[in-house]
Amino acid sequence: MMESNARQAIAGEGNPRMWWILANVSVGTFMSTLDGSIANVGLPTISESLHVPLHAVQWVVSAYLLTICAMLPLVGNLADRFGRSRLYNVGFLVFSAGSACCALSGSIAMLIGSRILQAIGASLLMANSQALVFTTFPAHQRGRAFGVIGSMVSLGSLAGPAVGGVLIGYFGWPSIFWVNVPIGVVGFVAGLFLLPRRKVASALSGRFDYAGAALFVVGIISLLYMISNGDIWGWSSTRSLLFLVVAIVLLVLFGIRERMAHNPIIDFALYRNPAFSSASFAAMLSFISLFCTTTMMPFYLEDVLHVSPQVTGTVMMAYPLTMAIVAPLSGALSDKMGSNVLTTGGLALNAVGFILLTLLSTHVAVWLVAIHLCIFGVGQGMFQSPNNSSLMGTAPRDKVGLVGGLNALVRNIGMVLGIALSVSLFSMRLHALTGMATQASLNNVPMHPFISALHTVFWSAAGVCLVGSAISSLRGVRRGA
């Protein structure tokens, strides 16, 4: 029965349970992306509870993101070997187990270790969600389905601080991890009955490339760890340069290894397809710009407009809520007219949104800020769903797991780069204007230099969006491209 459903999807008829499958995939996508940011707001409370300094407790967030980035291509490759549904469903169990261990942690070492386990589960969910949608839905409905997944990614990524704040305020910091356990268990049980079971493609049945996997994991972690800490260490410091050199050497060796390997972890031949490469790079640039907004806007709201954290969280929700409305509509529209106009126009609209942010002053009504953020929700909603559909449409059928993993990887790398870019630009501009050390408190910063530093970030993010829009246009104008 399951194999018959899978053949129907390939033939363009769709799986009769496809909307239930989408609901299950949406739960996993939301849960895994939510936990990338939900712990941020709890770091001070966790620090006090476990009696560790903030620089140590920051690893609760960093370990999660770095592990996901290291695991995604590996998981995508393994999924194409052993079955996407199987690994996706295991992801629910691993994520739930990791969440329970996080909630029970009595030391920072146990908490960080548990977050790594949780991240392995998240990578199993992230790498396979798009592949499951692609193989379940017929071509004329994939855009709509990817629109729903895009909404879940946005809501999960941006709702974390707000949800975490409420849970911690009422139930304490372990609650932000306990909440995942029943959801994960229900998702696993539902997946046993809903998810399609297809025969594993034989094209990737050879020996797994363990050497290539080791080179990639150590190389990408070294690179992203350096980027995440560059503003603290100093970009030209010995430590930063050492990590950079190690990362470059290992990733170059990884690239050489993959070209020689019989069954590579990452098939670089995929990037010869302009539709794939343009969609992939445009996605990364979109998330770089996105996290310039999510990183800097709370500073503007709280340090310039002097609103409470509760109001800040409410205003920031304008972005994901707008995207949650627009993304499914954009995805459905891309099923009819293709992705090129929507993706290119969405990033161009985001560039306009950043330019408009540079017009905000020190005395602005918060509702006007929310309207500005709605522009990004529309732009990102226009871009995300059609881009995912376009990118997954380039995948050979025996490599959709790998392509889904790579798409999730560029998303997470974009998040890390966006945070690092925005913080570094802001700090360097503020230092140039005031002479203040980059790690100094912002409480006594004069408003004019503060606003000027923010504008530097917003203009840079606008430039990133325009570059992404130009790259997106290179995928071509064919229907469904």
Side-chain angles (χ1 to χ4, degrees):
M1 179 65 176
M2 291 293 187
E3 290 188 13
S4 174
N5 290 342
R7 285 194 295 271
Q8 286 180 319
I10 295 172
E13 302 171 24
N15 189 312
R17 299 176 178 176
M18 59 188 181
W19 295 108
W20 286 106
I21 293 171
L22 179 63
N24 184 271
V25 171
S26 296
V27 170
T29 300
F30 177 79
M31 190 170 65
S32 57
T33 53
L34 179 76
D35 269 64
S37 59
I38 195 172
N40 293 37
V41 71
L43 293 185
T45 306
I46 295 172
S47 175
E48 181 180 354
S49 174
L50 299 182
H51 308 292
V52 291
L54 279 176
H55 71 82
V57 82
Q58 181 64 38
W59 272 99
V60 173
V61 175
S62 299
Y64 185 83
L65 294 176
L66 292 177
T67 302
I68 287 176
C69 288
M71 290 295 298
L72 283 170
L74 279 63
V75 170
N77 185 285
L78 292 172
D80 290 329
R81 293 167 177 269
F82 302 113
R84 300 172 198 107
S85 297
R86 182 184 304 170
L87 289 190
Y88 177 85
N89 223 25
V90 169
F92 272 122
L93 285 184
V94 176
F95 190 88
S96 298
S99 298
C101 290
C102 287
L104 293 170
S105 295
S107 68
I108 189 63
M110 181 178 176
L111 180 56
I112 293 172
S114 300
R115 282 286 277 177
I116 292 174
L117 178 62
Q118 191 186 40
I120 293 173
S123 66
L124 290 168
L125 295 170
M126 289 182 182
N128 292 294
S129 60
Q130 295 174 70
L132 285 170
V133 170
F134 179 82
T135 54
T136 299
F137 281 79
H140 67 279
Q141 290 183 307
R142 283 178 192 148
R144 185 183 306 174
F146 278 119
V148 175
I149 295 299
S151 297
M152 293 300 103
V153 170
S154 177
L155 286 171
S157 299
L158 300 176
V163 174
V166 172
L167 289 174
I168 291 170
Y170 285 101
F171 306 107
W173 69 263
S175 64
I176 63 177
F177 301 114
W178 279 126
V179 71
N180 296 318
V181 177
I183 299 174
V185 172
V186 171
F188 171 77
V189 174
L192 292 176
F193 297 95
L194 293 174
L195 297 179
R197 298 171 189 169
R198 294 185 56 200
K199 226 175 154 178
V200 180
S202 60
L204 295 178
S205 58
R207 186 174 183 272
F208 184 74
D209 183 13
Y210 294 100
L215 288 170
F216 176 80
V217 168
V218 180
I220 197 69
I221 287 179
S222 298
L223 178 63
L224 296 180
Y225 183 65
M226 184 277 293
I227 291 173
S228 299
N229 291 281
D231 188 60
I232 299 172
W233 297 343
W235 292 103
S236 59
S237 68
T238 302
R239 191 188 306 185
S240 294
L241 294 176
L242 178 61
F243 270 91
L244 179 61
V245 170
V246 169
I248 291 174
V249 170
L250 292 177
L251 292 176
V252 168
L253 290 175
F254 169 72
I256 295 173
R257 167 75 187 183
E258 294 308 280
R259 292 182 179 276
M260 298 168 54
H262 180 65
N263 291 299
I265 299 294
I266 297 177
D267 185 359
F268 288 103
L270 292 169
Y271 290 92
R272 297 173 189 164
N273 184 334
F276 176 85
S277 56
S278 61
S280 184
F281 286 117
M284 183 172 68
L285 293 173
S286 76
F287 275 92
I288 290 175
S289 62
L290 163 66
F291 270 72
C292 285
T293 311
T294 57
T295 303
M296 288 293 109
M297 287 307 293
F299 287 105
Y300 173 76
L301 288 164
E302 294 185 27
D303 294 321
V304 176
L305 300 186
H306 303 294
V307 301
S308 67
Q310 291 85 350
V311 173
T312 296
T314 303
V315 172
M316 292 295 294
M317 285 298 293
Y319 191 151
L321 290 178
T322 305
M323 182 178 169
I325 296 171
V326 174
L329 300 176
S330 174
L333 190 58
S334 73
D335 288 331
K336 300 178 180 179
M337 61 178 289
S339 62
N340 193 56
V341 172
L342 291 167
T343 55
T344 303
L347 287 178
L349 180 60
N350 279 354
V352 173
F354 277 111
I355 293 172
L356 292 176
L357 285 183
T358 67
L359 303 178
L360 295 178
S361 66
T362 56
H363 298 87
V364 177
V366 292
W367 63 265
L368 185 59
V369 178
I371 290 177
H372 279 70
L373 293 178
C374 286
I375 295 174
F376 293 102
V378 174
Q380 193 71 3
M382 288 174 59
F383 171 81
Q384 198 63 40
S385 318
N387 192 70
N388 286 342
S389 181
S390 171
L391 188 145
M392 294 302 298
T394 67
R397 189 158 295 277
D398 61 345
K399 295 181 180 178
V400 288
L402 171 61
V403 172
L406 291 176
N407 193 23
L409 173 65
V410 299
R411 180 176 73 223
N412 282 272
I413 290 177
M415 293 177 186
V416 175
L417 292 177
I419 294 170
L421 174 68
S422 58
V423 171
S424 295
L425 286 174
F426 179 83
S427 298
M428 287 188 291
R429 180 59 176 165
L430 197 61
H431 177 70
L433 293 173
T434 65
M436 294 179 61
T438 56
Q439 301 305 312
S441 171
L442 299 178
N443 293 333
N444 299 318
V445 177
M447 281 298 99
H448 176 72
F450 194 108
I451 292 293
S452 179
L454 282 177
H455 288 178
T456 298
V457 176
F458 296 149
W459 279 112
S460 299
V464 170
C465 288
L466 290 176
V467 172
S469 180
I471 291 175
S472 177
S473 68
L474 299 177
R475 77 185 74 208
V477 295
R478 294 181 296 103
R479 181 173 175 170

